[in-house]
Amino acid sequence: MTDGPRESGLLPVADGQSIYWEEWGAPDGVPALYLHGGPGGGLGRSGYRYRFDLERTRVIGLEQRGCGRSLPHASDPEVPLAAHTTQHLIDDIEALREARGVERWILNGVSWGSTLALAYAQSHPERVLGVVLFAVTTTRRREIDWITEGVGAIFPEAWDRFASFAEGAGIGFARGEGRIVEAYARLVNSADAAVRDAASREWALWEDTHVSIGVGAADSPGGRNGAQHNGPRPAVRRDPRWEDDAFRLAFVRLTTHYWSHDGFLDPPLLENMAALEGVPAVLIHGRRDVSGPAVTAWELHRRWPGSTLVIDEQDGHGGTSMVEAWSAANARLLDPVGP
C-alpha cells in the first residue's frame, strides 16, 4: 500500500470554499464516505482507511469546510463563519458525491462526524447504502450542555478552571447565568490575538480532560480531534495536535460556533428518524464515555429499527476494541452490497 491516497484534490464549493478530499482503496469498489469529528478535527494521518477492506471498498474522506487542508481556514479570524452550518456541510457532501461520480455510499461518522452522517442521511436517504457511527452524538442542546457544563460534576477542579477563565475574561459571563459554550465562542472570536490563543488553550485542556476516562480517546482514526490512545492512560493525556496553533484555533472556533447553535439542527435529529426507515446501521459506543453518555446511542437505536447497537464495556470515547467493532461493522455492511 502506498503512503498517500490514490487520488486527492480540492473541490470548489459554494460561498468561496474549497474542500479537501482523498480516495483510498479499489476504484471499482463499493463507495464509502468517512466524516471526521470535531467540528474541525480534520483527517489527521488518514488512519480511518484501515477500518475498511480496501480491496473491496472505494473509501473517500473529506475535510469539512474551514479545517485541515480545506480553504479558507477557520484559524484566520478574518474568515467569517456565516457560511458554516450543518446544511452547508450537507451540501458540500452532495457536491463531492456528484463530482466523484458516486451513486450511493456507505457512511462512516465518528463523534461529531456521526451527527453529520445522520444529518446527511436524513436529507438524502436515497444516497445511503448503510451507516456506521462511532462514539455516537446528535449534537442536541442537552448533549452540548452536558459536555461543556454537566460533566464538570465528574471533573470539578478542571471545570472550575475552565469556567473561571471565562468569568475573568471581562465579557460578562458568570457560571449559572449563561452558557459557557457561548462565552468561549465569543472569546475565540475576540479581536485580541492573545485572548483567542488563551481561550483556545483552555478549551483544549478541558477537551482532553473530559475524554480521559476509558482506555482510549476518540478517533485516530478520526473522532473528536484525531488523537490515538491505546493501553493504560495517565489522568489526562494531552493531544499533541493542540500545539499546532492553526489546528487548535480552527478546531475551537468551529466547535464553539456549531455547539453554541445546537449544531444548526432544528428540529433535532432524533425527531426525524422516520426518514431512515430501512437503512441499515451499526452504532458503536463506549460505556465509559462520560463526555458523551451512552444514552444518546441508546435513544437513537430505539428510534431506528434497522440499527444494531454495540456498547463496549471497557472503552470511553474510542479505544482499541471499539475500533475492532468499527472494522467488523463495515465488513458487515459491505457484504450485502459488494461484488
Side-chain angles (χ1 to χ4, degrees):
M1 184 183 299
T2 61
D3 292 335
R6 178 171 48 76
E7 293 186 65
S8 64
L10 279 173
L11 175 69
V13 290
D15 313 300
Q17 305 281 325
S18 293
I19 56 171
Y20 171 81
W21 59 271
E22 60 185 34
E23 288 199 21
W24 306 84
D28 58 350
V30 176
L33 174 69
Y34 170 74
L35 297 171
H36 64 70
L43 295 178
R45 297 181 179 180
S46 304
Y48 66 90
R49 68 189 189 273
Y50 299 121
R51 308 285 70 81
F52 300 87
D53 179 349
L54 295 179
E55 294 185 357
R56 301 174 61 200
T57 315
R58 177 188 176 192
V59 181
I60 303 172
L62 71 87
E63 290 185 314
Q64 297 152 33
R65 56 172 63 189
C67 71
R69 286 149 286 193
S70 295
L71 298 171
H73 205 265
S75 60
D76 181 350
E78 299 299 318
V79 172
L81 298 183
H84 290 264
T85 71
T86 301
Q87 187 59 54
H88 285 98
L89 300 183
I90 291 169
D91 292 345
D92 291 349
I93 293 169
E94 267 297 273
L96 179 63
R97 183 191 62 78
E98 293 176 357
R100 301 309 299 159
V102 173
E103 182 67 23
R104 300 173 71 201
W105 45 13
I106 295 170
L107 304 181
N108 275 215
V110 175
S111 194
W112 155 256
S114 63
T115 291
L116 182 54
L118 283 169
Y120 174 84
Q122 289 182 359
S123 295
H124 301 282
E126 74 284 358
R127 301 300 181 187
V128 180
L129 292 168
V131 179
V132 177
L133 305 183
F134 181 103
V136 179
T137 69
T138 67
T139 315
R140 56 187 160 165
R141 177 165 292 214
R142 189 176 85 184
E143 294 169 46
I144 296 161
D145 287 348
W146 170 260
I147 200 172
T148 55
E149 301 190 32
V151 77
I154 300 173
F155 304 101
E157 315 97 312
W159 194 82
D160 181 69
R161 171 174 171 157
F162 184 56
S164 294
F165 178 85
E167 287 179 318
I171 59 171
F173 170 77
R175 65 188 77 190
E177 298 179 10
R179 298 180 79 204
I180 197 169
V181 66
E182 294 175 358
Y184 270 88
R186 292 172 60 190
L187 290 169
V188 83
N189 283 285
S190 169
D192 187 331
V195 171
R196 295 195 302 272
D197 181 76
S200 70
R201 292 182 185 275
E202 291 296 329
W203 184 278
L205 177 59
W206 175 243
E207 176 86 13
D208 284 345
T209 300
H210 66 65
V211 299
S212 62
I213 293 181
V215 298
D219 156 279
S220 181
R224 198 170 272 132
N225 56 31
Q228 172 101 27
H229 300 306
N230 293 318
R233 296 163 50 94
V236 177
R237 177 181 290 179
R238 301 311 311 275
D239 181 351
R241 296 179 76 186
W242 298 128
E243 295 307 309
D244 179 338
D245 291 344
F247 172 83
R248 187 183 67 255
L249 289 165
F251 182 100
V252 180
R253 195 167 177 234
L254 289 168
T255 297
T256 56
H257 172 68
Y258 280 87
W259 286 8
S260 63
H261 291 90
D262 302 334
F264 296 95
L265 295 163
D266 186 20
L269 294 174
L270 284 170
E271 296 181 15
N272 193 33
M273 292 308 298
L276 300 183
E277 183 177 357
V279 176
V282 181
L283 318 177
I284 304 165
H285 206 86
R287 181 74 72 193
R288 299 185 185 187
D289 189 345
V290 298
S291 57
V295 65
T296 294
W298 169 250
E299 290 175 348
L300 183 62
H301 171 58
R302 291 288 299 271
R303 299 187 189 204
W304 197 348
S307 69
T308 298
L309 177 63
V310 178
I311 297 290
D312 190 292
E313 298 295 340
Q314 300 302 315
D315 281 346
H317 198 72
T320 303
S321 58
M322 283 179 66
V323 166
E324 292 172 355
W326 181 3
S327 299
N330 275 319
R332 174 179 172 179
L333 288 181
L334 187 64
D335 287 338
V337 297

